Amino acid sequence: VEGFIIDVIHELARRSERMFVLALDGDRLSWPPNVIVKICKSKKPFLKIIWLFWMVITTTLTQKINVYICFISEVVAIVLSVCGYLTRRKTFFWYCSVYSSKNLKQLLAVKLCSYVVTCSKHLKPFYSIIFRIREGKIINIGHGIEVRRFNRRSTDLVRSHVPRPFRILSIGRISPIKEWEKLVLAIAEVKKQFECLSVIVVGEPPQFANSIAYFDKLRKLIKDLSMEPFWIFVGAVSNKRLASFYNIADVWVFTGYAYKTILESLAVGIPTLFEKKSGKLIFPEKYEMEVEKLTFDDYRTLAELLAKVYKCDDGLMIATRTLSDYVRQYFSTSAYVDRLLGQILSALNK
């Protein structure tokens, strides 16, 4: 998420006279000259909110600020929206949760902001129902990735003749909602078909009791199925280092809901297997046939797809190339910012 926001800020800076970035915490990074970054030094949540409110108001009154944009944080969206009412500026809240559970922070953030900017047309009616807001307030602009970072890998590799382990990689936080057990059970189903196998997991459990317990349960399942020798948990990896992991994989698998990581994997041109529900969120109907060849909804279907990747199934490889072309064209950070600014300008002119 942090890598995505940094990429978007750099792209926005190319199209803006000046940008002010206010962060409640974070590191001081290298920014373009027209980007002014302020980071709150306080560690106390209440003081952070007061600081943000004061900085937004004073910056708006002393600088030429046209619009507020908030990424993901409900608390920041609430503060910006309140400031927007006072300064008569519109607030655009980038929000992409696919889960129906909601709390007071989410409700306030979505209801107070001027527009909710999201990543799928299927989230428009979903948000309209669960948050009870009009669909006209919800804007779908898709997602964005820095395609130049995720360069296409050479297609000369013929996997069935590579003298090394067949590498299955996956990335994501290790928690129940990511449904990692599907990957474990799928590999248990097909492991005998592979001469040599390696499963690399990038990610770690959030520091919550249920996620840590889930991780322990997952590792026990792997041990009980006699698969410990070829499972590797590498922990969290920065977005910049992540690109190198994409290039060592023979196939990427994403269980549970995923979005940006699917785009990054496909941008590299690697066979990418993901859940049908994720495919529905990301791709338009005209790619339904290609999406069908790469998606699953249970571990047995995933096991069948893994076997097809290992055998270099022609239909699966063609579907991968077709979706890779679409991802690199439509989901680049540049195209994402074009869509975002287009919606902002349209809203400001109303």
Side-chain angles (χ1 to χ4, degrees):
V1 172
E2 290 177 0
F4 162 67
I5 295 173
I6 290 169
D7 291 339
V8 170
I9 291 172
H10 278 272
E11 193 64 36
L12 281 169
R14 292 179 58 241
R15 329 285 183 87
S16 308
E17 180 183 336
R18 183 176 288 187
M19 283 184 64
F20 289 84
V21 178
L22 304 178
L24 297 183
D25 53 48
D27 301 319
R28 294 196 175 276
L29 305 173
S30 176
W31 299 103
N34 63 330
V35 177
I36 294 91
V37 179
K38 302 290 184 182
I39 301 173
C40 181
K41 295 179 180 179
S42 176
K43 300 298 182 183
K44 297 181 179 180
F46 179 72
L47 292 180
K48 286 179 179 289
I49 293 171
I50 297 298
W51 174 88
L52 179 61
F53 178 84
W54 174 253
M55 290 299 298
V56 173
I57 294 295
T58 55
T59 303
T60 303
L61 294 177
T62 58
Q63 306 292 333
K64 188 181 176 182
I65 303 298
N66 300 105
V67 67
Y68 303 147
I69 305 173
C70 170
F71 289 92
I72 302 169
S73 170
E74 295 99 343
V75 172
V76 173
I78 292 168
V79 175
L80 287 180
S81 298
V82 171
C83 292
Y85 282 110
L86 296 174
T87 61
R88 298 192 177 185
R89 300 299 192 274
K90 289 183 177 176
T91 301
F92 291 79
F93 178 33
W94 166 257
Y95 189 68
C96 296
S97 174
V98 296
Y99 304 107
S100 56
S101 60
K102 56 185 182 293
N103 56 40
L104 182 59
K105 283 192 301 184
Q106 291 170 314
L107 283 168
L108 287 173
V110 169
K111 286 183 175 292
L112 290 177
C113 69
S114 308
Y115 292 94
V116 178
V117 184
T118 192
C119 62
S120 173
K121 70 175 187 178
H122 296 286
L123 291 179
K124 290 186 71 170
F126 177 62
Y127 285 174
S128 180
I129 292 169
I130 68 169
F131 293 117
R132 296 183 180 180
I133 58 175
R134 57 185 177 85
E135 283 197 31
K137 182 177 177 173
I138 308 165
I139 301 169
N140 164 41
I141 63 168
H143 217 308
I145 60 169
E146 187 47 74
V147 294
R148 289 168 295 186
R149 184 178 303 131
F150 299 95
N151 295 320
R152 269 217 175 105
R153 189 176 66 180
S154 170
T155 56
D156 294 338
L157 290 175
V158 180
R159 290 170 179 79
S160 58
H161 296 110
V162 176
R164 57 166 175 72
F166 181 78
R167 295 191 182 116
I168 301 170
L169 275 81
S170 189
I171 181 173
R173 64 183 182 275
I174 301 175
S175 64
I177 60 173
K178 287 297 186 179
E179 305 175 58
W180 287 91
E181 60 274 6
K182 288 182 182 177
L183 178 58
V184 176
L185 295 173
I187 292 172
E189 190 100 345
V190 295
K191 62 181 180 179
K192 291 182 180 178
Q193 298 183 35
F194 302 107
E195 294 179 11
C196 191
L197 177 65
S198 177
V199 184
I200 302 172
V201 175
V202 181
E204 60 187 5
Q207 294 304 303
F208 299 112
N210 67 327
S211 295
I212 294 170
Y214 177 76
F215 187 31
D216 292 339
K217 181 180 177 182
L218 201 66
R219 299 187 78 152
K220 184 178 184 304
L221 177 61
I222 292 168
K223 182 178 181 180
D224 291 345
L225 293 170
S226 303
M227 297 195 299
E228 274 188 306
F230 54 84
W231 276 77
I232 303 168
F233 291 91
V234 300
V237 170
S238 68
N239 193 254
K240 286 186 177 180
R241 283 188 60 214
L242 190 57
S244 62
F245 278 87
Y246 282 114
N247 279 288
I248 66 170
D250 293 303
V251 59
W252 276 87
V253 178
F254 300 97
T255 55
Y257 274 113
Y259 199 128
K260 183 172 177 284
T261 45
I262 292 173
L263 300 181
E264 291 170 344
S265 176
L266 283 169
V268 179
I270 295 171
T272 305
L273 310 179
F274 48 95
E275 299 249 12
K276 292 185 184 296
K277 56 190 178 185
S278 295
K280 184 179 179 182
L281 276 180
I282 301 171
F283 297 101
E285 286 79 4
K286 69 176 182 178
Y287 292 103
E288 184 177 354
M289 185 173 68
E290 288 82 5
V291 170
E292 183 65 26
K293 292 182 184 297
L294 298 174
T295 54
F296 58 91
D297 51 18
D298 58 61
Y299 77 88
R300 288 191 174 88
T301 309
L302 174 55
E304 293 169 4
L305 290 173
L306 286 170
K308 284 185 176 182
V309 175
Y310 188 67
K311 296 173 184 176
C312 296
D313 177 82
D314 287 341
L316 192 146
M317 297 303 172
I318 292 170
T320 298
R321 287 195 291 271
T322 301
L323 292 185
S324 179
D325 290 340
Y326 173 65
V327 165
R328 295 188 68 84
Q329 178 182 356
Y330 183 79
F331 289 101
S332 69
T333 306
S334 177
Y336 169 85
V337 170
D338 283 342
R339 295 190 294 270
L340 175 61
L341 290 178
Q343 292 292 343
I344 289 174
L345 291 173
S346 176
L348 292 179
N349 290 329
K350 286 183 179 178

